Amino acid sequence: MNSGKRPDLKPPTNRLACAVREQVSAALGNPTSPVLLHRPFFPAQAWAYVKECLDSGWVSSAGSYVTRFEEMLAKATGCRRAIAMVNGTTALEVSLLLAGVNKGDEVLCPSLSFVATANAISHCGAKPHFVDVCNERLSVSTAALSARLEEVAAITPDGAINRQTGNRIAALCVMHCFGHPADLDGLLSVCKKYSITLVEDAAESLGSFYRGLHTGRTGLVSAVSFNGNKILTTGGGGAILTDDDDLADRARHLTSTAKLPHPYEFRHDEVAWNYRLPNLNAALGVAQLEVLDDIVHAKRSLAEHYRNYLRSIEGVEVLSEPADCFSNYWLNTIVLPESPDCSARDQVLDQLNLFGLQSRPIWVPMHMLPMYASCARGPMGNSESLYRRVVNIPSSPELSPTWVEC
Ligand SMILES: Cc1ncc(COP(=O)(O)O)c(C=O)c1O
């Protein structure tokens, strides 16, 4: 019979795995169940808000929590408008459409991102065009973007055209990897030179700022995710952020079946989506937004703790926020030394996971996935090297030395 206790395991032998384990033990003692990569935190209020939805019967896409969540999100990010949606992928798809991405266009984006970045582009009928990332931020490199456009783009009255494919290059979709803001000013100035629209995949960067401006506010329109492992989770959920009222109204219309306002009649004026976030999910989001600053504070101090502690391990780099940024440190990130294969990375991952410390590598770069292998791309040296060397370690706020449950 399963006693519920984990079998006794030999402690990890890898120095890095031992050090991570010691840090987790310092916070949680000897955990008896697996330590998740990012455990969601639900403040006490979440129970009351969800109960209110159940008691009132407002559990679906109408209800006061959705509006409240959108208003709080706009306030937390400094954005004029937020439109809550069922997930981050759909929020990104609609963001791209609103930014003018059409069928047959190309959208520049990192190959080293979660697959949803390229999927959202594909769902618009457009094609991803991959650009390499920089080692400091793990997000699109301004130098690589500039070099790639120099190589392939022609500036025409209709915008930038890829001379090799004949397709219009409509947008750059930049992603803020693990919460660390990309070089937004640099990227924006390259985009302006080629009349390319900047869209931000800010799925991972709620609570992160670039030069004092919340991520998601430099691009014309951007998308956030509230998936289960994100810094704030509504179970599943996402949102569009924009400072443009017309785009926000359009997003709201398109994502709620294009229904014309009327007290009781159902009349719709175009083919649209049912992408609106349900009230039940929004209630969870409201409860967490009320304590977002506490969560970000805890995550930043956990990152500092890991950094100080792991510093002594030779050859191991703990990724830090760029100098001009304030990062939410969504996932703590370790970069191992250069390696021709994944063996050193996998040794660390095997030991951490065997010990119940859920850890994972960065995503397989998308140009290495079958459905995106034939997409246009520049050199991928950094993306391929980082793929072999990056490890994310447990990053829940409860692991932080400053964590006090609210
Ligand atoms: C970089 C990135 N883009 C997009 C998404 C898609 O968000 P969702 O899972 O809410 O659809 C995620 C997260 O899951 C992500 O990490």
Side-chain angles (χ1 to χ4, degrees), residues 87-89 113-114 116-117 175 201 203-204 225 227 230 237:
N87 59 47
T89 310
S113 179
F114 181 53
T117 309
M175 196 274 282
D201 178 346
E204 305 181 353
S225 165
N227 194 8
K230 294 294 185 290

Side-chain angles (χ1 to χ4, degrees), residues 69-92:
F69 184 52
E70 290 176 334
E71 286 168 0
M72 289 175 75
L73 203 54
K75 192 152 178 245
T77 57
C79 222
R80 267 187 71 73
R81 301 279 296 276
I83 297 91
M85 294 181 53
V86 287
N87 59 47
T89 310
T90 53
L92 191 56

